[in-house]
Amino acid sequence: MSGVVLFSGGGDYVDPWHPFADTSAVVAEVLRDDGFDVETVDRIDVLASRLAGADLLVVNAGGGPQPHPLDARLSDLIAQFPGALLVLHVAATLLPEHPEWERRLGGRWVRGTTMHPARGPLELRAAEADPITEGLASIRTVDEAYSWLRLAEDARVFYTQEHAGETHPVAWAVERDGRRAAYDALGHDVEAYDAPAVRELLRRLARWAAAR
């Protein structure tokens, strides 16, 4: 059984738009049902004490439009963590003054460039044939269509969505320095996880990141 620490917003990191406790509960349930041992924490001090025994760090948190006072501590913890990383939704906006976050993740939300239209019906299309996308050529849900995220050249894109006549990456993965990281832009609220395919994508990305 792989050990997962899920760092959730709602404690040290909060914003006015995302019900982190609710979505993190769904994420934890999905991963537990898939055989992961999941512990959810929402405080940096607790995160620091739990990472040593974890194989996978899942980040489902946001801190609002400005750098957060705890960003330096969070950045250090993630940089020192030798395990795998799975980042969800608005967590791509974290650590705006810490470039190591983007390098580890293989991309990020860029303030002033990245955006999303109003939450609504969203369809994702598989970008390539891969075990991550096998049997899931398309995914339909209700969520925010993240657009114009910045992506590294070596990132493997699994799913995209169309907005304003352009194709935008939604889920990707990178492997660098022997460490795996995956990103899933879905998960604004609990309704986004109602679609079974969204939960299946989450499971597959977690398995890939943890090399299961």
Side-chain angles (χ1 to χ4, degrees):
M1 182 178 289
S2 298
V4 175
V5 173
L6 197 171
F7 181 59
S8 174
D12 284 335
Y13 279 76
V14 297
D15 70 28
W17 307 288
H18 297 89
F20 292 117
D22 296 338
T23 53
S24 290
V26 173
V27 170
E29 176 190 16
V30 170
L31 296 184
R32 288 191 184 107
D33 287 348
D34 202 42
F36 288 93
D37 182 12
V38 183
E39 180 176 8
T40 302
V41 302
D42 62 8
R43 302 286 181 182
I44 291 290
D45 287 344
V46 180
L47 177 65
S49 68
R50 299 296 192 271
L51 277 179
D55 303 301
L56 174 65
L57 171 61
V58 179
V59 183
N60 180 40
Q66 302 299 325
H68 193 282
L70 292 173
D71 277 357
R73 181 94 188 277
L74 179 59
S75 179
D76 286 345
L77 288 174
I78 293 172
Q80 295 165 15
F81 177 59
L85 186 66
L86 173 58
V87 177
L88 305 176
H89 195 57
V90 75
T93 68
L94 287 173
L95 306 177
E97 297 180 336
H98 297 266
E100 174 60 25
W101 175 241
E102 181 175 356
R103 200 186 88 79
R104 180 76 184 274
L105 183 56
R108 69 165 297 114
W109 176 291
V110 181
R111 299 197 186 280
T113 299
T114 311
M115 56 77 69
H116 64 78
R119 173 183 170 276
L122 176 63
E123 182 174 7
L124 279 56
R125 293 286 185 181
E128 63 174 73
D130 187 273
I132 296 289
T133 61
E134 184 176 359
L136 291 175
S138 67
I139 297 175
R140 292 178 175 85
T141 185
V142 177
D143 210 328
E144 295 172 335
Y146 277 19
S147 303
W148 293 289
L149 292 157
R150 187 161 65 202
L151 186 67
E153 291 183 358
D154 62 339
R156 293 169 52 201
V157 177
F158 300 123
Y159 285 94
T160 62
Q161 57 92 9
E162 301 291 325
H163 175 65
E166 295 188 32
T167 300
H168 304 274
V170 175
W172 68 72
V174 292
E175 186 168 5
R176 293 171 172 168
D177 304 323
R179 298 186 297 181
R180 291 184 170 191
Y183 176 67
D184 180 358
L186 301 176
H188 174 76
D189 56 19
V190 171
E191 186 180 4
Y193 289 105
D194 284 349
V198 173
R199 294 182 176 227
E200 180 61 20
L201 175 60
L202 177 66
R203 282 190 286 266
R204 293 182 184 190
L205 291 175
R207 290 175 198 160
W208 178 86
R212 281 185 47 190

